[in-house]
Amino acid sequence: MRYAEVAVDVSTGHSQTFSYSIPESMELAPGHLVRVPFGPRMLQGIVFSLSPTSQVSDDQTRPVLEVTSPVPALDSLHLSLARWVSDHYVCSLFEAAAPMLPPGGRRRPRTYLTISPEVEDTKSLSVTGAQRRVIDEVERRGPTEIDSLVSRLGEWARSSVGSLVNRRVLARQIRTTKPAAQARFVESIRVRKGAKEEIFRWLFAEGRRAPRQSELITLLAESDESIGAVEARREFGGSVVSALIKKRFVEVDRAQVLRDPLEGRVFEPGERVTLTEGQRAVVSDVVRSLRDTERLPRTFLVQGVTGSGKTEIYLAAVEECLRLGRQAIVMVPEIALTPQTIERFAGRFPGKVAVLHSGLTAGQRLDQWWAIKAGEYSVVVGSRSAVFAPVSKPGLVVLDEEHEWTYKQHDAQPRYHARDVAMALGRLAGSVTLLGSASPDVGSYFRGRRKRYGLHLLPDRLRRDADGATAIASLPTVEVVDMRTELREGNADIFSRRLRASLESCLDSGKQAIMFLNRRGTASQMQCRSCGHSLSCGGCDVPLTYHRAAQRLMCHYCGRKRRVPDSCPECLAYRLSFYGIGTQSVARHVEEQFPQARVIRWDRDATRYPREYEEVLATFRNREADVLVGTQMIAKGLHLPGVTLVGVVLADIGLTIPDYRSGERTFQLLCQVAGRAGRGSDPGNVVFQTYQPDNYAIRAAAAQDYQGFYMAEMQRRHEHGNPPYSRLIRLLHSHTNNAVCESRAIELAESLRAAQRDADLTNVEVLGPTPPYPPRLRGRYRWHIVLRGRKPRELFERVDIPQGWAADVDPVALT
């Protein structure tokens, strides 16, 4: 008897597999996707290993039902990586492996509700008002998925559904979802080999009676080439093509068509530059580690000011990696940055670059995934999930802007950080991780100073002079404007006098400017001047943002929209006013004050798809716009040589968020956006407008002083025992009833503290429970508990965490 250890798509403990017997006729290998029985259900699973023995007795072992992937979807390297992800992030093995599967490879069973066949007349049933609404909805729509029903009616519908199923008024049906994408094939028809003589006889004897068949078969025979089946049916008719196939005059060829997102695009190779001594030192270190897989460290951090040539280092390191016969993964934190990155790498490595990110169609992602697995590409460019690309010989993983929180998945399992997964891949495959940032995560810089990472500093901004040689350029000058002084002196405008004058001078000289505000919309809230009531989202405890273009109030957490009311819903007074500003109001303000300026906006309201990102970027690069107004999307890694002025409309946003990283994030964002100015031949100027000019993060960002910020931030971290001086595990619970959610949080916190006392774990703290911000999200109240210490896992594993709690290991935010 042979057995398979299978990770099943069901909530289980981390690293757990289940034993299944393998039928004699079945060919099975580790990495295969299978369908297996699990309780009363048939679920998807992944084979992690084969074994001559079972975890349970033979009479309890059930057989694998079928193999659903033609070849193993995961190789041994990625199975090992999935085991690490499962153990480190405390999720099931299947959840850990799911991001590594081909797009659409995860086939989840969904539960649908129908009216039970035992019910003859629903109108005569004695039910509550809530249950009646559920019944009417199911009757009206037919088979209805539970989650879809809840999204339309509200969370209260779940309890009504349970009662109706128990009474056999509703019946549950379980269906497996169809794959999101499948391989695409095209058919063509051509003359069957050896059939020409028979065709000519038929044409001579009977061809006149079937003129359309004669016309098509003559065309095929004379050209000796194939014709697309769709085109042939469209021009000659489907019955004509079918008749020729039936006569065996033609045969059908079926070929797969690859949906390449870069198809038809031409990329300029780009000029090669001579690396500076500092750049060569980084590449040299990477190459030595690529050649010697035992050499430590295997992670390198490049802390280089904006414009210091980090991308040239990435290109040179990838080139050396490919020369050694290995593959590279290059990640950027935002999809918006992929067009620029693709342009640089596809120009240097033509025909060798694959793209993986959520902005592609499902079909494109599927075809790119299989092409990467087949070894057709040497370089993969993408966002966070690209770290799981099916490369068989990984040599180098690059994380540009490594400090960005978007590298962490925080809203679904596995709650992984791409940086840590990349380093785990390095330990398993002997690959090298290369991190780059002008303002690295303080934890990364801390590890660099402790020699756990190789640390390289690039303090100089570089530019190309008129002869094409590399020269040192000056960083932009930064001015900090105290908006409190502006108000005291009678200027209540959103632009300070200094910023207005700088923008006027920039536009008069024919240069470009960026106006940055990390807040979308026209006004950040709508409030009644009579009673003070603020219009908030019905599902989230946050104010609604006003969007003037759509004439709607919108929640930026759940996307809910509502019309702007005429009167206050609380006191009915007609005294509603808008407060705060957003990118829409900034863009409008620029247009009003500078009518000659061509203004373009870049935020998630104006650009939702990668093609739109490219259009905005191309418009601004080609000098078809003078002022770019945007949120943090414009702050990261963009090279815009025409920009000489950056105006930060409000530098304080983010400083008051209740999170220990708020100062670090503010500093990083300001450093990044300031770095967009002066990257061409003209000097750059930056204006920070702030109500907190003495804040350490704003002062350090204005001076572009990473070392000064690092020392101040680490002192605060050390005083409060926050990472990197400790580790965190966050436990989050949500419920539609706040009292229930709070009581469950208190109960778990008491269990954790009791276990802490019993084990005498004095080096771990239990913080909370408290509600995070926002306390309610998408209709569900939230409470969380944070474990903080050198080894919080020791306490975490001593307590059985109840169902409904989400564990986030090493969270990047506590909101």
Side-chain angles (χ1 to χ4, degrees), residues 36-200:
V36 294
F38 194 88
R41 296 176 289 171
M42 306 301 167
L43 299 179
Q44 189 178 26
I46 304 170
V47 178
F48 266 74
S49 63
L50 304 181
S51 173
T53 59
S54 169
Q55 296 182 47
V56 294
S57 60
D58 286 353
D59 59 333
Q60 293 180 293
T61 305
R62 301 165 77 181
V64 175
L65 297 177
E66 67 173 318
V67 183
T68 59
S69 58
V71 296
L74 301 182
D75 57 18
S76 59
L77 171 62
H78 288 88
L79 288 172
S80 298
L81 185 61
R83 288 187 184 277
W84 180 87
V85 170
S86 174
D87 179 67
H88 186 78
Y89 293 107
V90 200
C91 61
S92 75
L93 263 180
F94 193 98
E95 287 172 330
M100 307 177 200
L101 296 178
R106 189 176 191 179
R107 306 280 301 280
R108 307 198 73 172
R110 296 189 181 276
T111 303
Y112 290 80
L113 299 170
T114 60
I115 303 297
S116 173
E118 300 176 17
V119 176
E120 296 180 0
D121 179 18
T122 59
K123 303 300 180 188
S124 63
L125 292 169
S126 175
V127 293
T128 65
Q131 291 172 346
R132 172 60 59 191
R133 287 185 63 188
V134 169
I135 292 170
D136 290 345
E137 187 74 11
V138 173
E139 271 195 313
R140 185 171 65 85
R141 302 184 69 91
T144 305
E145 190 181 358
I146 287 182
D147 289 341
S148 175
L149 182 76
V150 169
S151 70
R152 285 195 299 274
L153 299 183
E155 282 291 333
W156 57 265
R158 289 192 191 274
S159 58
S160 296
V161 165
S163 300
L164 292 170
V165 169
N166 291 337
R167 290 179 56 186
R168 297 190 177 181
V169 174
L170 296 182
R172 286 191 176 108
Q173 291 181 353
I174 296 178
R175 302 178 184 176
T176 302
T177 56
K178 293 181 179 179
Q182 292 180 320
R184 183 182 172 192
F185 293 88
V186 295
E187 292 182 341
S188 59
I189 57 172
R190 58 183 174 82
V191 172
R192 184 174 59 82
K193 278 188 179 180
K196 282 191 177 181
E197 188 176 332
E198 187 180 349
I199 289 168
F200 290 136

Side-chain angles (χ1 to χ4, degrees), residues 192 198 202 210 213 242-250:
R192 184 174 59 82
E198 187 180 349
W202 176 83
Q213 292 182 39
S242 298
L244 293 178
I245 293 172
K246 190 174 182 180
K247 289 183 174 74
R248 300 187 73 247
F249 290 171
V250 299

Side-chain angles (χ1 to χ4, degrees), residues 386-696:
V387 74
F388 295 118
V391 291
S392 58
K393 296 180 291 182
L396 178 66
V397 180
V398 175
L399 276 84
D400 190 27
E401 311 292 1
E402 69 88 32
H403 64 274
E404 286 292 344
W405 65 270
T406 49
Y407 282 122
K408 169 78 171 179
Q409 175 157 291
H410 61 276
D411 54 0
Q413 287 287 20
R415 290 177 170 82
Y416 68 92
H417 198 298
R419 179 182 57 224
D420 297 326
V421 174
M423 291 189 287
L425 185 65
R427 290 190 292 272
L428 293 166
S431 59
V432 175
T433 305
L434 178 57
L435 313 174
S437 174
S439 50
D441 181 290
V442 295
S444 296
Y445 195 75
F446 176 78
R447 286 183 278 275
R449 288 172 60 118
R450 292 288 181 92
K451 309 297 184 185
R452 290 172 59 189
Y453 297 171
L455 179 61
H456 291 267
L457 306 180
L458 301 178
D460 298 320
R461 173 176 274 197
L462 306 176
R463 65 175 177 83
R464 307 292 296 282
D465 61 21
D467 300 325
T470 301
I472 294 176
S474 60
L475 288 168
T477 58
V478 181
E479 300 175 77
V480 178
V481 177
D482 187 345
M483 295 302 284
R484 299 171 302 180
T485 303
E486 292 286 312
L487 283 173
R488 282 195 296 268
E489 295 177 357
N491 179 27
D493 195 81
I494 64 173
F495 288 169
S496 64
R497 290 164 295 183
R498 183 66 203 145
L499 180 55
R500 192 184 306 116
S502 297
L503 183 55
E504 184 176 9
S505 173
C506 174
L507 294 173
D508 287 347
S509 62
K511 306 303 179 184
Q512 292 178 297
I514 286 176
M515 294 291 111
F516 169 79
L517 178 65
N518 203 22
R519 184 181 282 160
R520 294 152 53 197
T522 304
S524 54
Q525 65 175 313
M526 192 176 193
Q527 192 171 29
C528 176
R529 285 179 292 161
S530 288
C531 69
H533 175 71
S534 179
L535 274 69
S536 298
C537 173
C540 311
D541 284 339
V542 293
L544 292 167
T545 300
Y546 174 57
H547 288 253
R548 184 173 179 272
Q551 288 292 304
R552 289 288 186 274
L553 294 167
M554 181 186 295
C555 175
H556 288 169
Y557 282 86
C558 69
R560 185 176 296 189
K561 299 177 184 178
R562 62 171 291 184
R563 292 182 179 179
V564 179
D566 296 323
S567 61
C568 173
E570 193 71 20
C571 71
L572 304 182
Y574 292 89
R575 301 195 66 196
L576 289 171
S577 295
F578 298 111
Y579 296 92
I581 57 173
T583 48
Q584 289 181 20
S585 52
V586 172
R588 185 180 172 205
H589 202 69
V590 173
E591 290 168 340
E592 289 173 350
Q593 294 204 356
F594 303 94
Q596 79 280 13
R598 297 167 297 174
V599 182
I600 190 169
R601 222 174 77 236
W602 194 351
D603 56 33
R604 293 200 187 281
D605 298 318
T607 53
R608 295 180 179 273
Y609 307 103
R611 182 61 64 185
E612 293 173 323
Y613 303 154
E614 294 183 47
E615 289 170 1
V616 169
L617 187 57
T619 298
F620 198 63
R621 269 186 178 171
N622 297 335
R623 303 293 184 94
E624 296 168 21
D626 305 306
V627 182
L628 177 63
V629 178
T631 57
Q632 62 183 6
M633 299 172 75
I634 65 175
K636 304 169 185 176
L638 294 174
H639 182 65
L640 303 168
V643 173
T644 59
L645 172 67
V646 168
V648 179
V649 179
L650 188 58
D652 309 340
I653 292 178
L655 279 176
T656 56
I657 292 174
D659 190 284
Y660 75 96
R661 291 179 185 262
S662 59
E664 180 184 18
R665 285 194 180 168
T666 299
F667 170 81
Q668 289 166 340
L669 198 53
L670 293 177
C671 274
Q672 291 294 321
V673 73
R676 300 314 107 207
R679 296 173 74 97
S681 55
D682 297 302
N685 181 36
V686 182
V687 177
F688 287 173
Q689 297 187 160
T690 175
Y691 290 93
Q692 301 180 56
D694 296 324
N695 182 279
Y696 76 103

